[in-house]
Amino acid sequence: CNCPNINKLEEDLNRIGFEVESIEKKGHSLSNIVIGKILSFEQHPDADRLRIAQVDIGKSTTQIVTAAENVNAGDIIPVSLPGATLASGLKIKKSKLRGIESNGMMCSAVECGLTDDAEGVWVLPKNSIVGNDFIADGQLCDFILDVSVLPNRGDCLSIYGLARECQALYGKKEIELSSFSGTGDAKIKLTVDQSVCSFYQATKIANIDPLAETPITMQVRLYYSGMRLISWLVDVTNY
């Protein structure tokens, strides 16, 4: 729907009985983070825990010294270049680590402001476009509303439920959800105790691609919803 600016949305949600307790501004302070691809690594000559990476950032190749252990040549990652501002407010500058020039930093989801802790550098899907603005491609600039839902509005205890209310405020047609139909040959056997459950429905999903990856924008929305990335199948289910 055509939602107005965030202040108008807060005012209107409060007006119809949904108290907005807080609004968190996400990603708006970030700058100069691009999508890069690690071309090669070599060991730092004077530090066992440091490696020197050559990283393709689209228009050129840059050198970054890192202690990250979870990335390898060929991985695609967010790269903060000199002049970048991270979620913590830290500004990236050219520097030397044990005498070797480093022109930026490989970013984790923490530096991008998506979560409070991460196991290492954020490895992006292989179809990410090297050289692109990561902040724009990942749709990192967003707002998170903490909305208090009244006990009689259980229909709004979901993102879809609140979206439906926004559609009623500003939209002209109902929200359309995509759907799929099964083949009818799932052959799932269920035994339901009807004394505690009056209805249960299941479907079988087959021929799953184990190499599929969760899209960047979906990853970001899951992070902003307070969830962790697990695997694409779990991520899609959570989404």
Side-chain angles (χ1 to χ4, degrees), residues 103-141:
N103 301 310
M105 185 175 77
M106 300 179 186
C107 294
S108 71
V110 175
E111 282 84 36
C112 295
L114 281 86
T115 182
D116 293 330
D117 61 273
E119 295 181 357
V121 172
W122 189 359
V123 179
L124 304 177
K126 292 181 176 60
N127 63 354
S128 304
I129 302 175
V130 174
N132 274 16
D133 182 339
F134 176 64
I135 301 167
D137 277 19
Q139 298 179 13
L140 268 65
C141 292

Side-chain angles (χ1 to χ4, degrees), residues 46-78:
D46 296 318
D48 292 340
R49 297 189 62 185
L50 297 178
R51 293 187 292 171
I52 305 167
Q54 302 302 320
V55 182
D56 178 7
I57 54 172
K59 295 181 180 179
S60 62
T61 299
T62 192
Q63 178 172 286
I64 297 177
V65 180
T66 181
E69 299 179 348
N70 71 307
V71 284
N72 301 289
D75 285 343
I76 298 178
I77 56 171

Side-chain angles (χ1 to χ4, degrees), residues 186-197:
K187 296 181 181 178
I188 299 173
K189 184 177 181 180
L190 292 174
T191 301
V192 180
D193 183 351
Q194 294 190 345
S195 66
V196 293
C197 178

Side-chain angles (χ1 to χ4, degrees), residues 141-199:
C141 292
D142 211 337
F143 296 92
I144 299 177
L145 280 68
D146 185 0
V147 181
S148 178
V149 179
L150 295 173
N152 66 321
R153 292 305 306 270
D155 59 308
C156 290
L157 289 173
S158 65
I159 292 175
Y160 175 73
L162 285 174
R164 187 173 50 228
E165 292 298 309
C166 293
Q167 187 75 7
L169 281 168
Y170 311 116
K172 295 181 180 180
K173 61 180 182 179
E174 293 183 3
I175 300 172
E176 295 181 3
L177 294 179
S178 58
S179 62
F180 69 94
S181 57
T183 61
D185 60 353
K187 296 181 181 178
I188 299 173
K189 184 177 181 180
L190 292 174
T191 301
V192 180
D193 183 351
Q194 294 190 345
S195 66
V196 293
C197 178
S198 60
F199 178 80

